[in-house]
Structure formats: structure tokens, C-alpha cells
PDB file of all heavy atoms in Angstrom:
ATOM      1  N   ALA A1180      80.163 104.745 166.119  1.00 98.00           N
ATOM      2  CA  ALA A1180      80.583 106.064 165.642  1.00 98.00           C
ATOM      3  C   ALA A1180      82.017 106.306 166.085  1.00 98.00           C
ATOM      4  O   ALA A1180      82.305 106.342 167.280  1.00 98.00           O
ATOM      5  CB  ALA A1180      79.672 107.145 166.205  1.00 98.00           C
ATOM      6  N   LYS A1181      82.896 106.473 165.125  1.00 98.00           N
ATOM      7  CA  LYS A1181      84.306 106.740 165.429  1.00 98.00           C
ATOM      8  C   LYS A1181      84.503 108.257 165.540  1.00 98.00           C
ATOM      9  O   LYS A1181      84.392 108.974 164.555  1.00 98.00           O
ATOM     10  CB  LYS A1181      85.200 106.129 164.360  1.00 98.00           C
ATOM     11  CG  LYS A1181      85.072 104.612 164.263  1.00 98.00           C
ATOM     12  CD  LYS A1181      85.904 104.041 163.147  1.00 98.00           C
ATOM     13  CE  LYS A1181      87.390 104.232 163.381  1.00 98.00           C
ATOM     14  NZ  LYS A1181      88.198 103.595 162.312  1.00 98.00           N
ATOM     15  N   VAL A1182      84.784 108.714 166.725  1.00 97.00           N
ATOM     16  CA  VAL A1182      84.948 110.151 166.973  1.00 97.00           C
ATOM     17  C   VAL A1182      86.395 110.524 166.692  1.00 97.00           C
ATOM     18  O   VAL A1182      87.305 110.150 167.423  1.00 97.00           O
ATOM     19  CB  VAL A1182      84.556 110.509 168.415  1.00 97.00           C
ATOM     20  CG1 VAL A1182      84.782 111.993 168.682  1.00 97.00           C
ATOM     21  CG2 VAL A1182      83.090 110.147 168.670  1.00 97.00           C
ATOM     22  N   GLU A1183      86.596 111.266 165.588  1.00 93.00           N
ATOM     23  CA  GLU A1183      87.961 111.605 165.186  1.00 93.00           C
ATOM     24  C   GLU A1183      88.032 112.911 164.401  1.00 93.00           C
ATOM     25  O   GLU A1183      89.067 113.225 163.813  1.00 93.00           O
ATOM     26  CB  GLU A1183      88.566 110.461 164.365  1.00 93.00           C
ATOM     27  CG  GLU A1183      87.707 109.971 163.215  1.00 93.00           C
ATOM     28  CD  GLU A1183      88.148 108.615 162.680  1.00 93.00           C
ATOM     29  OE1 GLU A1183      89.334 108.267 162.800  1.00 93.00           O
ATOM     30  OE2 GLU A1183      87.294 107.891 162.132  1.00 93.00           O
ATOM     31  N   THR A1184      86.940 113.672 164.348  1.00 92.00           N
ATOM     32  CA  THR A1184      86.952 114.943 163.634  1.00 92.00           C
ATOM     33  C   THR A1184      86.516 116.063 164.571  1.00 92.00           C
ATOM     34  O   THR A1184      85.894 115.837 165.614  1.00 92.00           O
ATOM     35  CB  THR A1184      85.988 114.922 162.431  1.00 92.00           C
ATOM     36  OG1 THR A1184      84.633 114.832 162.926  1.00 92.00           O
ATOM     37  CG2 THR A1184      86.276 113.739 161.502  1.00 92.00           C
ATOM     38  N   LEU A1185      86.833 117.293 164.172  1.00 93.00           N
ATOM     39  CA  LEU A1185      86.410 118.453 164.955  1.00 93.00           C
ATOM     40  C   LEU A1185      84.893 118.571 164.941  1.00 93.00           C
ATOM     41  O   LEU A1185      84.271 118.945 165.944  1.00 93.00           O
ATOM     42  CB  LEU A1185      87.053 119.720 164.392  1.00 93.00           C
ATOM     43  CG  LEU A1185      88.595 119.735 164.369  1.00 93.00           C
ATOM     44  CD1 LEU A1185      89.099 121.024 163.755  1.00 93.00           C
ATOM     45  CD2 LEU A1185      89.154 119.550 165.767  1.00 93.00           C
ATOM     46  N   SER A1186      84.270 118.230 163.804  1.00 94.00           N
ATOM     47  CA  SER A1186      82.806 118.267 163.721  1.00 94.00           C
ATOM     48  C   SER A1186      82.179 117.290 164.709  1.00 94.00           C
ATOM     49  O   SER A1186      81.161 117.594 165.342  1.00 94.00           O
ATOM     50  CB  SER A1186      82.347 117.930 162.303  1.00 94.00           C
ATOM     51  OG  SER A1186      82.837 118.865 161.372  1.00 94.00           O
ATOM     52  N   ALA A1187      82.785 116.115 164.841  1.00 96.00           N
ATOM     53  CA  ALA A1187      82.251 115.124 165.784  1.00 96.00           C
ATOM     54  C   ALA A1187      82.333 115.629 167.214  1.00 96.00           C
ATOM     55  O   ALA A1187      81.412 115.395 168.015  1.00 96.00           O
ATOM     56  CB  ALA A1187      83.002 113.809 165.643  1.00 96.00           C
ATOM     57  N   LEU A1188      83.402 116.316 167.566  1.00 97.00           N
ATOM     58  CA  LEU A1188      83.516 116.864 168.914  1.00 97.00           C
ATOM     59  C   LEU A1188      82.454 117.933 169.151  1.00 97.00           C
ATOM     60  O   LEU A1188      81.882 118.021 170.242  1.00 97.00           O
ATOM     61  CB  LEU A1188      84.915 117.426 169.140  1.00 97.00           C
ATOM     62  CG  LEU A1188      86.054 116.393 169.180  1.00 97.00           C
ATOM     63  CD1 LEU A1188      87.393 117.083 169.327  1.00 97.00           C
ATOM     64  CD2 LEU A1188      85.847 115.394 170.314  1.00 97.00           C
ATOM     65  N   ARG A1189      82.187 118.740 168.136  1.00 96.00           N
ATOM     66  CA  ARG A1189      81.158 119.775 168.282  1.00 96.00           C
ATOM     67  C   ARG A1189      79.764 119.166 168.437  1.00 96.00           C
ATOM     68  O   ARG A1189      78.909 119.726 169.110  1.00 96.00           O
ATOM     69  CB  ARG A1189      81.175 120.716 167.072  1.00 96.00           C
ATOM     70  CG  ARG A1189      82.365 121.652 167.030  1.00 96.00           C
ATOM     71  CD  ARG A1189      82.161 122.751 165.997  1.00 96.00           C
ATOM     72  NE  ARG A1189      82.117 122.224 164.635  1.00 96.00           N
ATOM     73  CZ  ARG A1189      83.188 122.111 163.845  1.00 96.00           C
ATOM     74  NH1 ARG A1189      84.387 122.485 164.294  1.00 96.00           N
ATOM     75  NH2 ARG A1189      83.075 121.633 162.616  1.00 96.00           N
ATOM     76  N   ASN A1190      79.542 118.014 167.808  1.00 97.00           N
ATOM     77  CA  ASN A1190      78.226 117.363 167.824  1.00 97.00           C
ATOM     78  C   ASN A1190      78.214 116.114 168.706  1.00 97.00           C
ATOM     79  O   ASN A1190      77.417 115.192 168.487  1.00 97.00           O
ATOM     80  CB  ASN A1190      77.819 116.980 166.399  1.00 97.00           C
ATOM     81  CG  ASN A1190      77.694 118.190 165.492  1.00 97.00           C
ATOM     82  OD1 ASN A1190      77.018 119.158 165.831  1.00 97.00           O
ATOM     83  ND2 ASN A1190      78.355 118.151 164.345  1.00 97.00           N
ATOM     84  N   LEU A1191      79.086 116.083 169.702  1.00 98.00           N
ATOM     85  CA  LEU A1191      79.337 114.854 170.460  1.00 98.00           C
ATOM     86  C   LEU A1191      78.077 114.311 171.127  1.00 98.00           C
ATOM     87  O   LEU A1191      77.792 113.108 171.056  1.00 98.00           O
ATOM     88  CB  LEU A1191      80.431 115.092 171.498  1.00 98.00           C
ATOM     89  CG  LEU A1191      80.881 113.861 172.297  1.00 98.00           C
ATOM     90  CD1 LEU A1191      81.392 112.773 171.365  1.00 98.00           C
ATOM     91  CD2 LEU A1191      81.968 114.258 173.294  1.00 98.00           C
ATOM     92  N   ASP A1192      77.304 115.151 171.780  1.00 97.00           N
ATOM     93  CA  ASP A1192      76.135 114.664 172.517  1.00 97.00           C
ATOM     94  C   ASP A1192      75.146 113.949 171.603  1.00 97.00           C
ATOM     95  O   ASP A1192      74.652 112.857 171.927  1.00 97.00           O
ATOM     96  CB  ASP A1192      75.432 115.825 173.231  1.00 97.00           C
ATOM     97  CG  ASP A1192      76.222 116.344 174.422  1.00 97.00           C
ATOM     98  OD1 ASP A1192      77.126 115.631 174.886  1.00 97.00           O
ATOM     99  OD2 ASP A1192      75.949 117.468 174.877  1.00 97.00           O
ATOM    100  N   SER A1193      74.842 114.556 170.459  1.00 98.00           N
ATOM    101  CA  SER A1193      73.865 113.939 169.557  1.00 98.00           C
ATOM    102  C   SER A1193      74.433 112.688 168.889  1.00 98.00           C
ATOM    103  O   SER A1193      73.693 111.738 168.613  1.00 98.00           O
ATOM    104  CB  SER A1193      73.413 114.947 168.497  1.00 98.00           C
ATOM    105  OG  SER A1193      74.507 115.414 167.726  1.00 98.00           O
ATOM    106  N   ILE A1194      75.731 112.655 168.636  1.00 98.00           N
ATOM    107  CA  ILE A1194      76.361 111.458 168.053  1.00 98.00           C
ATOM    108  C   ILE A1194      76.298 110.297 169.040  1.00 98.00           C
ATOM    109  O   ILE A1194      75.960 109.164 168.674  1.00 98.00           O
ATOM    110  CB  ILE A1194      77.809 111.758 167.629  1.00 98.00           C
ATOM    111  CG1 ILE A1194      77.817 112.655 166.386  1.00 98.00           C
ATOM    112  CG2 ILE A1194      78.584 110.471 167.367  1.00 98.00           C
ATOM    113  CD1 ILE A1194      79.185 113.179 166.007  1.00 98.00           C
ATOM    114  N   VAL A1195      76.628 110.567 170.305  1.00 98.00           N
ATOM    115  CA  VAL A1195      76.553 109.520 171.334  1.00 98.00           C
ATOM    116  C   VAL A1195      75.132 108.984 171.428  1.00 98.00           C
ATOM    117  O   VAL A1195      74.901 107.775 171.492  1.00 98.00           O
ATOM    118  CB  VAL A1195      77.033 110.061 172.695  1.00 98.00           C
ATOM    119  CG1 VAL A1195      76.727 109.061 173.815  1.00 98.00           C
ATOM    120  CG2 VAL A1195      78.532 110.357 172.648  1.00 98.00           C
ATOM    121  N   GLU A1196      74.152 109.879 171.405  1.00 97.00           N
ATOM    122  CA  GLU A1196      72.761 109.476 171.509  1.00 97.00           C
ATOM    123  C   GLU A1196      72.334 108.608 170.320  1.00 97.00           C
ATOM    124  O   GLU A1196      71.601 107.626 170.477  1.00 97.00           O
ATOM    125  CB  GLU A1196      71.866 110.719 171.594  1.00 97.00           C
ATOM    126  CG  GLU A1196      70.383 110.426 171.705  1.00 97.00           C
ATOM    127  CD  GLU A1196      70.005 109.707 172.987  1.00 97.00           C
ATOM    128  OE1 GLU A1196      70.725 109.867 173.998  1.00 97.00           O
ATOM    129  OE2 GLU A1196      68.993 108.973 172.973  1.00 97.00           O
ATOM    130  N   ALA A1197      72.809 108.931 169.122  1.00 98.00           N
ATOM    131  CA  ALA A1197      72.381 108.223 167.913  1.00 98.00           C
ATOM    132  C   ALA A1197      73.077 106.888 167.727  1.00 98.00           C
ATOM    133  O   ALA A1197      72.577 106.026 167.001  1.00 98.00           O
ATOM    134  CB  ALA A1197      72.633 109.105 166.685  1.00 98.00           C
ATOM    135  N   SER A1198      74.212 106.685 168.359  1.00 98.00           N
ATOM    136  CA  SER A1198      75.061 105.521 168.087  1.00 98.00           C
ATOM    137  C   SER A1198      74.702 104.329 168.962  1.00 98.00           C
ATOM    138  O   SER A1198      74.162 104.476 170.056  1.00 98.00           O
ATOM    139  CB  SER A1198      76.530 105.886 168.313  1.00 98.00           C
ATOM    140  OG  SER A1198      76.899 107.003 167.541  1.00 98.00           O
ATOM    141  N   ASP A1199      75.039 103.143 168.467  1.00 98.00           N
ATOM    142  CA  ASP A1199      74.956 101.943 169.295  1.00 98.00           C
ATOM    143  C   ASP A1199      76.181 101.811 170.182  1.00 98.00           C
ATOM    144  O   ASP A1199      76.125 101.234 171.261  1.00 98.00           O
ATOM    145  CB  ASP A1199      74.827 100.699 168.412  1.00 98.00           C
ATOM    146  CG  ASP A1199      73.559 100.722 167.579  1.00 98.00           C
ATOM    147  OD1 ASP A1199      72.466 100.816 168.159  1.00 98.00           O
ATOM    148  OD2 ASP A1199      73.664 100.666 166.339  1.00 98.00           O
ATOM    149  N   ALA A1200      77.307 102.332 169.713  1.00 98.00           N
ATOM    150  CA  ALA A1200      78.561 102.341 170.467  1.00 98.00           C
ATOM    151  C   ALA A1200      79.423 103.455 169.893  1.00 98.00           C
ATOM    152  O   ALA A1200      79.198 103.923 168.774  1.00 98.00           O
ATOM    153  CB  ALA A1200      79.276 100.992 170.373  1.00 98.00           C
ATOM    154  N   VAL A1201      80.419 103.868 170.672  1.00 98.00           N
ATOM    155  CA  VAL A1201      81.296 104.973 170.276  1.00 98.00           C
ATOM    156  C   VAL A1201      82.740 104.510 170.397  1.00 98.00           C
ATOM    157  O   VAL A1201      83.089 103.759 171.316  1.00 98.00           O
ATOM    158  CB  VAL A1201      81.052 106.211 171.169  1.00 98.00           C
ATOM    159  CG1 VAL A1201      82.076 107.308 170.890  1.00 98.00           C
ATOM    160  CG2 VAL A1201      79.639 106.745 170.965  1.00 98.00           C
ATOM    161  N   LEU A1202      83.562 104.940 169.455  1.00 98.00           N
ATOM    162  CA  LEU A1202      84.985 104.627 169.502  1.00 98.00           C
ATOM    163  C   LEU A1202      85.788 105.917 169.534  1.00 98.00           C
ATOM    164  O   LEU A1202      85.599 106.799 168.688  1.00 98.00           O
ATOM    165  CB  LEU A1202      85.398 103.776 168.308  1.00 98.00           C
ATOM    166  CG  LEU A1202      86.851 103.264 168.349  1.00 98.00           C
ATOM    167  CD1 LEU A1202      86.933 101.823 167.856  1.00 98.00           C
ATOM    168  CD2 LEU A1202      87.777 104.133 167.509  1.00 98.00           C
ATOM    169  N   VAL A1203      86.675 106.035 170.502  1.00 98.00           N
ATOM    170  CA  VAL A1203      87.595 107.172 170.595  1.00 98.00           C
ATOM    171  C   VAL A1203      88.785 106.851 169.700  1.00 98.00           C
ATOM    172  O   VAL A1203      89.634 106.027 170.048  1.00 98.00           O
ATOM    173  CB  VAL A1203      88.058 107.412 172.039  1.00 98.00           C
ATOM    174  CG1 VAL A1203      88.910 108.678 172.117  1.00 98.00           C
ATOM    175  CG2 VAL A1203      86.868 107.506 172.986  1.00 98.00           C
ATOM    176  N   ALA A1204      88.824 107.483 168.521  1.00 96.00           N
ATOM    177  CA  ALA A1204      89.864 107.190 167.522  1.00 96.00           C
ATOM    178  C   ALA A1204      91.028 108.165 167.718  1.00 96.00           C
ATOM    179  O   ALA A1204      91.080 109.230 167.118  1.00 96.00           O
ATOM    180  CB  ALA A1204      89.288 107.301 166.114  1.00 96.00           C
ATOM    181  N   ARG A1205      91.948 107.792 168.573  1.00 95.00           N
ATOM    182  CA  ARG A1205      92.988 108.722 168.995  1.00 95.00           C
ATOM    183  C   ARG A1205      93.957 109.077 167.883  1.00 95.00           C
ATOM    184  O   ARG A1205      94.578 110.139 167.924  1.00 95.00           O
ATOM    185  CB  ARG A1205      93.746 108.134 170.191  1.00 95.00           C
ATOM    186  CG  ARG A1205      92.833 107.771 171.342  1.00 95.00           C
ATOM    187  CD  ARG A1205      93.563 107.424 172.600  1.00 95.00           C
ATOM    188  NE  ARG A1205      94.578 106.387 172.431  1.00 95.00           N
ATOM    189  CZ  ARG A1205      95.289 105.879 173.443  1.00 95.00           C
ATOM    190  NH1 ARG A1205      95.068 106.312 174.664  1.00 95.00           N
ATOM    191  NH2 ARG A1205      96.174 104.937 173.242  1.00 95.00           N
ATOM    192  N   GLY A1206      94.066 108.218 166.871  1.00 90.00           N
ATOM    193  CA  GLY A1206      94.989 108.512 165.780  1.00 90.00           C
ATOM    194  C   GLY A1206      94.618 109.775 165.049  1.00 90.00           C
ATOM    195  O   GLY A1206      95.414 110.716 164.935  1.00 90.00           O
ATOM    196  N   ASP A1207      93.397 109.825 164.537  1.00 88.00           N
ATOM    197  CA  ASP A1207      92.975 111.011 163.793  1.00 88.00           C
ATOM    198  C   ASP A1207      92.671 112.189 164.702  1.00 88.00           C
ATOM    199  O   ASP A1207      92.834 113.342 164.305  1.00 88.00           O
ATOM    200  CB  ASP A1207      91.779 110.683 162.904  1.00 88.00           C
ATOM    201  CG  ASP A1207      92.227 110.088 161.577  1.00 88.00           C
ATOM    202  OD1 ASP A1207      92.539 110.863 160.669  1.00 88.00           O
ATOM    203  OD2 ASP A1207      92.310 108.857 161.484  1.00 88.00           O
ATOM    204  N   LEU A1208      92.236 111.932 165.942  1.00 91.00           N
ATOM    205  CA  LEU A1208      92.074 113.037 166.877  1.00 91.00           C
ATOM    206  C   LEU A1208      93.404 113.752 167.088  1.00 91.00           C
ATOM    207  O   LEU A1208      93.466 114.974 167.203  1.00 91.00           O
ATOM    208  CB  LEU A1208      91.537 112.536 168.219  1.00 91.00           C
ATOM    209  CG  LEU A1208      90.025 112.368 168.353  1.00 91.00           C
ATOM    210  CD1 LEU A1208      89.678 111.845 169.745  1.00 91.00           C
ATOM    211  CD2 LEU A1208      89.292 113.672 168.079  1.00 91.00           C
ATOM    212  N   GLY A1209      94.478 112.971 167.133  1.00 89.00           N
ATOM    213  CA  GLY A1209      95.810 113.544 167.333  1.00 89.00           C
ATOM    214  C   GLY A1209      96.321 114.319 166.135  1.00 89.00           C
ATOM    215  O   GLY A1209      97.318 115.051 166.245  1.00 89.00           O
ATOM    216  N   ILE A1210      95.650 114.158 164.994  1.00 86.00           N
ATOM    217  CA  ILE A1210      95.996 114.944 163.810  1.00 86.00           C
ATOM    218  C   ILE A1210      95.236 116.267 163.827  1.00 86.00           C
ATOM    219  O   ILE A1210      95.783 117.332 163.552  1.00 86.00           O
ATOM    220  CB  ILE A1210      95.664 114.158 162.526  1.00 86.00           C
ATOM    221  CG1 ILE A1210      96.643 112.985 162.364  1.00 86.00           C
ATOM    222  CG2 ILE A1210      95.727 115.057 161.303  1.00 86.00           C
ATOM    223  CD1 ILE A1210      96.299 112.069 161.213  1.00 86.00           C
ATOM    224  N   ARG A1211      93.978 116.192 164.169  1.00 87.00           N
ATOM    225  CA  ARG A1211      93.133 117.391 164.123  1.00 87.00           C
ATOM    226  C   ARG A1211      93.293 118.280 165.352  1.00 87.00           C
ATOM    227  O   ARG A1211      92.977 119.472 165.319  1.00 87.00           O
ATOM    228  CB  ARG A1211      91.673 116.983 163.937  1.00 87.00           C
ATOM    229  CG  ARG A1211      91.422 116.482 162.521  1.00 87.00           C
ATOM    230  CD  ARG A1211      90.194 115.636 162.396  1.00 87.00           C
ATOM    231  NE  ARG A1211      89.956 115.282 161.008  1.00 87.00           N
ATOM    232  CZ  ARG A1211      90.580 114.302 160.356  1.00 87.00           C
ATOM    233  NH1 ARG A1211      91.490 113.588 160.988  1.00 87.00           N
ATOM    234  NH2 ARG A1211      90.317 114.054 159.085  1.00 87.00           N
ATOM    235  N   LEU A1212      93.743 117.691 166.459  1.00 88.00           N
ATOM    236  CA  LEU A1212      93.984 118.437 167.685  1.00 88.00           C
ATOM    237  C   LEU A1212      95.481 118.496 167.958  1.00 88.00           C
ATOM    238  O   LEU A1212      96.260 117.745 167.370  1.00 88.00           O
ATOM    239  CB  LEU A1212      93.302 117.739 168.873  1.00 88.00           C
ATOM    240  CG  LEU A1212      91.795 117.500 168.801  1.00 88.00           C
ATOM    241  CD1 LEU A1212      91.377 116.576 169.939  1.00 88.00           C
ATOM    242  CD2 LEU A1212      91.041 118.819 168.873  1.00 88.00           C
TER     243      LEU A1212
END
């Protein structure tokens, strides 16, 4: 799960739980934040 949207940050706990691995996608995070 590539975390890079505001929705993903709001749902972070459940996304981490559902995923096999997580990627901090700083490029798009830096656009939305």
C-alpha cells in the first residue's frame, strides 16, 4: 500500500493492517501536504 493521499493518512491504521507491506510515497505526500 503506497501511502500518498490525505484519505490514506486518515485511514492509516486499517490500511497498515490490511497490507502485506507499506510504502511511504514522499513525492505525492509532498504535494498533498
Side-chain angles (χ1 to χ4, degrees):
K1181 299 177 65 177
V1182 178
E1183 51 196 333
T1184 67
L1185 301 178
S1186 299
L1188 292 177
R1189 288 193 294 268
N1190 298 309
L1191 185 58
D1192 288 343
S1193 59
I1194 288 171
V1195 170
E1196 180 65 27
S1198 305
D1199 298 303
V1201 173
L1202 186 140
V1203 185
R1205 305 190 307 184
D1207 275 275
L1208 275 179
I1210 289 174
R1211 288 160 175 80
L1212 302 169

